[in-house]
Amino acid sequence: MSAEEQKPKQELIVRGIAASQGISYGQIFVYIQTIIEVPVYEVEKDKRPAEIARLEQALMVTRQQIQKIMSEVEKNLGPDEARIFDAHLLVLEDQALITETVRELEKTGTNIETCFNRIAQRYIKAFEEIDDEYLRERGCDIRDVAQRVLNNLLGRTGQNLGRLVEKRIVVANDISPSDAAGIDSSQALGIVTDSGSKTSHAVIVARSMKIPAVVGLRDFTTKVEPGDWVIVDGYEGLVILNPREATLFRYGQIQRQKKSYEQRLFEANRLPAVTLDGVKLTLRANIEKVDEVALVREYHAEGVGLFRTEFLYLGAPDAPTEEQQYAAYRELAEALAPAPVVIRTLDLGGDKPAQSQAHLFPKENNPFLGYRAIRFCLDQPDLFKQQLRAILRASAHGNVHLMYPMISGRDELARANAVLDECKAELGAEKVAFNKDIRVGSMIEIPSAAMTADLLARDCDFFSIGTNDLIQYLIAIDRVNDRIAHLYEPTHPAVLRTLRHVVVEAHRAKIKVSVCGEMAGDPTFTALLFGLGVDELSMTPPLLPAAKNILRNMKMSDARALAQMAMAMSSPKDINALCERFVSERLKA
Ligand code: PEP
Ligand code: MG
């Protein structure tokens, strides 16, 4: 770590939620969406040509910035995502916008920022009032581009994570999942947010990109100034603003130790997932994008236990077509065959609204209890069928399993399966290949589904427990609310009893149970979950080595005893401490 540019400011240590492991140090980039205030002043007649030249210069710089973002997005996310910015470049070429701005300058004699802003706002309003979704979207493009042009005219740094062109720690009040998906992991050294929790989707994305993150810091953005430096300690959930020399030195040492430990774990991760008493366990990967298949291999996951398909929609201007989805699912299935790939149908809504589907999601008071996932899909059968057909078609090219999110009971599962049968019949009639015996499972993430696991098991080939949502609904803790994040307790007896109940019912019906929520990737709970009888764990690939390390250092008989002991206890904190002790006793040698 270098402290060359550090100013002699007071060190401040703030505790938040450790959301993504790792330590980083760097200068901050503050990301807060604000309304740009445009100063208004008069410009004398002879200075007006210079104003026009300023506008031309700002347009040129904006074009270069957008092109740079495009090439970075293309590199990180692919050409389809990069094409979002084509529309932005078109706005810059809009002659009417430029001519009218110049006319406004000549007419009113006010500064060029004001003229440009007035004309842009007029355009935005006109587009917003049009009763056509496509044209309203163009209004959004103009707003985005106008903000960039204004920022350039005013000499300000714009607010867009896609334009993070230098290595920085992102300090934000909030980051949406699509903001996170647009982050260039080679430029974002760390992420620090006022809001959020361990299971918010933006954090899950950060974890898969191995970006250290601390969230739930409440008002941290009000404490920083541009140019400040911070250490992000994603292990302990600490953020150190303007660290002293001694702190930097200490963190330099911690970072080196952690790195060498992680390197050892990474190397040992090649070994099979077998316990000391010879029981073979299964660890799979959670992924959000097809190109993460490289991580699945690098971290030796036995296939994909959860592919969150909604990320094909997030950040894209249009919903992916059946063909685009088929191509993505097929690529994944072929790349990993014969290992299984569990493709989960769309889970939009909640904290994952999609730009292209925004018109279908009205504002709700309780989005997590609202129009989301399978409820949305059953209400939008065309969109649902498009995805089911794409998954079925991909099943001809590998070991594809299909899974529904947010199933609440047997009728809902039956409705989803009826649509699936319809798709199978259509493909059959069209003579399109698909695996007729595709395995179909349900996520168990709503208490009503857990309680009726015996009924669901009759029509499922497997279960996957989504603890992120299951815990949120079981103990009524909004998973993205930082104020109550400390009450989100995976070791609550209600959680353990529910997990055990689902396992027992699944095994009675002779089907397997996986856990794919964030609890599965927390090494504190590896033994507990396997001890409770869970068959498989699925997690963000970088978390796999720690889980493998624990199971290779434990006996399955001890894990079962641990789970039995935990089930007999009443305090979440005591159960957590018991699990921590189990791990530390086995890893200290
Ligand atoms: C879960 O709820 O645990 C889960 C894996 O689904 P998601 O995090 O995508 O809601
Ligand atoms: Mg979920």
Side-chain angles (χ1 to χ4, degrees):
M1 289 184 185
S2 138
E4 291 156 3
E5 294 168 55
Q6 191 192 348
K7 296 180 205 142
K9 285 188 179 174
Q10 192 70 23
E11 175 177 289
L12 176 70
I13 302 178
V14 190
R15 182 171 286 280
I17 300 162
S20 176
Q21 291 196 345
I23 290 171
S24 57
Y25 173 61
Q27 208 163 11
I28 61 169
F29 172 83
V30 182
Y31 180 67
I32 297 171
Q33 295 283 10
T34 48
I35 295 164
I36 302 174
E37 276 183 37
V38 181
V40 185
Y41 54 90
E42 266 184 42
V43 178
E44 286 164 24
K45 220 172 180 150
D46 62 329
K47 305 249 167 64
R48 290 181 194 164
E51 287 293 274
I52 297 171
R54 279 211 302 128
L55 176 65
E56 281 165 356
Q57 171 71 12
L59 292 172
M60 195 185 74
V61 172
T62 308
R63 162 169 287 277
Q64 286 165 351
Q65 288 168 340
I66 294 174
Q67 281 167 337
K68 186 162 177 46
I69 295 165
M70 274 179 94
S71 68
E72 275 163 13
V73 170
E74 178 157 1
K75 193 174 75 203
N76 294 320
L77 296 177
D80 288 345
E81 281 78 1
R83 269 198 286 281
I84 305 167
F85 295 97
D86 279 342
H88 290 201
L89 289 176
L90 283 178
V91 174
L92 285 175
E93 276 160 21
D94 187 337
Q95 277 313 313
L97 184 67
I98 299 161
T99 322
E100 282 187 46
T101 303
V102 174
R103 207 177 296 141
E104 181 78 7
L105 170 72
E106 279 157 6
K107 198 171 90 193
T108 62
T110 41
N111 57 320
I112 199 76
E113 293 87 342
T114 301
C115 296
F116 177 78
N117 196 28
R118 272 185 205 145
I119 302 300
Q121 293 306 327
R122 214 176 287 161
Y123 268 70
I124 293 165
K125 193 156 179 291
F127 274 103
E128 278 175 352
E129 282 168 2
I130 299 173
D131 190 19
D132 177 293
E133 190 53 36
Y134 175 79
L135 291 174
R136 273 206 305 276
E137 287 284 329
R138 301 292 70 80
C140 295
D141 292 334
I142 299 176
R143 171 172 297 135
D144 197 325
V145 175
Q147 286 223 341
R148 288 181 198 280
V149 174
L150 282 175
N151 276 321
N152 286 323
L153 278 169
L154 295 165
R156 291 187 192 153
T157 318
Q159 292 296 318
N160 186 328
L161 287 181
R163 57 189 303 184
L164 195 60
V165 287
E166 279 177 286
K167 290 189 188 302
R168 290 281 186 269
I169 307 259
V170 178
V171 176
N173 45 355
D174 190 16
I175 294 182
S176 71
S178 40
D179 277 340
I183 288 179
D184 177 353
S185 55
S186 66
Q187 303 298 340
L189 299 174
I191 294 176
V192 169
T193 60
D194 288 347
S195 61
S197 74
K198 261 188 186 179
T199 61
S200 43
H201 285 100
V203 161
I204 294 173
V205 172
R207 216 173 283 143
S208 70
M209 292 200 271
K210 296 209 272 180
I211 302 175
V214 177
V215 301
L217 288 153
R218 307 273 173 87
D219 56 354
F220 189 70
T221 47
T222 63
K223 298 190 172 121
V224 296
E225 287 172 15
D228 277 347
W229 290 72
V230 292
I231 293 174
V232 182
D233 177 353
Y235 297 103
E236 300 297 327
L238 295 175
V239 175
I240 298 121
L241 179 61
N242 298 313
R244 290 180 290 134
E245 232 3 273
T247 313
L248 279 174
F249 180 72
R250 188 160 51 83
Y251 265 98
Q253 284 181 318
I254 298 174
Q255 198 177 28
R256 274 192 296 281
Q257 282 162 3
K258 294 271 189 198
K259 274 217 170 109
S260 98
Y261 178 68
E262 275 161 17
Q263 188 54 33
R264 271 185 282 137
L265 284 194
F266 183 78
E267 276 153 24
N269 190 43
R270 291 169 206 282
L271 301 166
V274 178
T275 62
L276 291 175
D277 48 356
V279 181
K280 162 79 183 68
L281 298 171
T282 304
L283 300 178
R284 302 199 203 282
N286 290 356
I287 61 169
E288 275 100 37
K289 285 179 264 161
V290 174
D291 61 10
E292 285 175 342
V293 86
L295 286 178
V296 179
R297 292 205 185 101
E298 188 186 346
Y299 286 93
H300 303 281
E302 293 181 51
V304 169
L306 169 65
F307 178 45
R308 287 183 167 97
T309 55
E310 48 279 6
F311 284 82
L312 292 172
Y313 285 69
L314 295 174
D318 303 305
T321 61
E322 177 182 323
E323 285 311 308
Q324 286 165 334
Q325 293 189 63
Y326 165 60
Y329 306 150
R330 177 179 174 167
E331 189 182 334
L332 194 58
E334 283 180 339
L336 295 172
V341 172
V342 180
I343 303 180
R344 182 177 74 179
T345 62
L346 259 187
D347 182 4
L348 287 178
D351 68 338
K352 288 179 285 194
Q355 193 188 326
S356 62
Q357 309 299 310
H359 57 296
L360 300 176
F361 289 97
K363 193 163 168 33
E364 295 179 298
N365 285 339
N366 294 299
F368 276 119
L369 298 182
Y371 193 58
R372 187 187 159 188
I374 197 73
R375 302 163 183 187
F376 165 75
C377 285
L378 289 173
D379 197 45
Q380 303 289 336
D382 292 344
L383 196 119
F384 191 33
K385 281 179 72 176
Q386 223 175 37
Q387 181 173 41
L388 293 176
R389 284 174 56 98
I391 298 173
L392 284 169
R393 288 170 60 195
S395 72
H397 304 280
N399 190 0
V400 171
H401 299 187
L402 186 148
M403 174 162 80
Y404 306 118
M406 296 284 292
I407 290 287
S408 63
R410 200 169 176 222
D411 284 359
E412 206 168 37
L413 176 64
R415 285 181 63 205
N417 275 334
V419 185
L420 182 65
D421 286 343
E422 230 177 274
C423 293
K424 284 181 177 173
E426 278 176 19
L427 291 175
E430 292 163 25
K431 307 228 174 319
V432 175
F434 66 94
N435 174 11
K436 295 190 178 52
D437 299 317
I438 185 169
R439 299 176 70 75
V440 180
S442 168
M443 288 205 62
I444 303 289
E445 46 189 348
I446 299 184
S448 59
M451 293 303 292
T452 53
D454 56 328
L455 305 179
L456 294 178
R458 293 182 200 162
D459 295 319
C460 280
D461 296 313
F462 63 93
F463 284 157
S464 188
I465 305 179
T467 46
N468 303 338
D469 280 312
L470 183 62
I471 298 171
Q472 130 164 296
Y473 298 128
L474 258 182
I475 43 183
I477 301 295
D478 180 345
R479 64 190 267 189
V480 294
N481 185 336
D482 55 289
R483 290 193 174 265
I484 48 170
H486 61 290
L487 300 173
Y488 188 95
E489 291 177 308
T491 48
H492 193 296
V495 175
L496 268 49
R497 288 178 194 196
T498 308
L499 292 174
R500 180 70 194 149
H501 173 75
V502 175
V503 166
V504 168
E505 292 305 332
H507 288 176
R508 204 194 302 278
K510 303 207 168 7
I511 64 171
K512 287 197 170 168
V513 187
S514 158
V515 175
C516 64
E518 296 309 293
M519 186 179 182
D522 186 334
T524 312
F525 308 128
T526 313
L528 176 70
L529 292 173
F530 280 125
L532 283 168
V534 166
D535 302 289
E536 299 164 8
L537 297 184
S538 191
M539 65 198 77
T540 306
L543 301 177
L544 284 157
K548 176 87 64 80
N549 185 39
I550 292 191
L551 67 86
R552 286 187 55 84
N553 283 286
M554 74 179 196
K555 284 191 183 155
M556 194 58 208
S557 54
D558 289 345
R560 287 197 195 100
L562 168 80
Q564 213 170 11
M565 206 181 294
M567 286 289 287
M569 290 164 72
S570 58
S571 150
K573 300 225 163 14
D574 291 349
I575 299 173
N576 197 68
L578 179 78
C579 294
E580 282 177 349
R581 246 190 343 269
F582 182 95
V583 175
S584 64
E585 278 167 7
R586 275 150 191 86
L587 298 188
K588 69 173 173 253

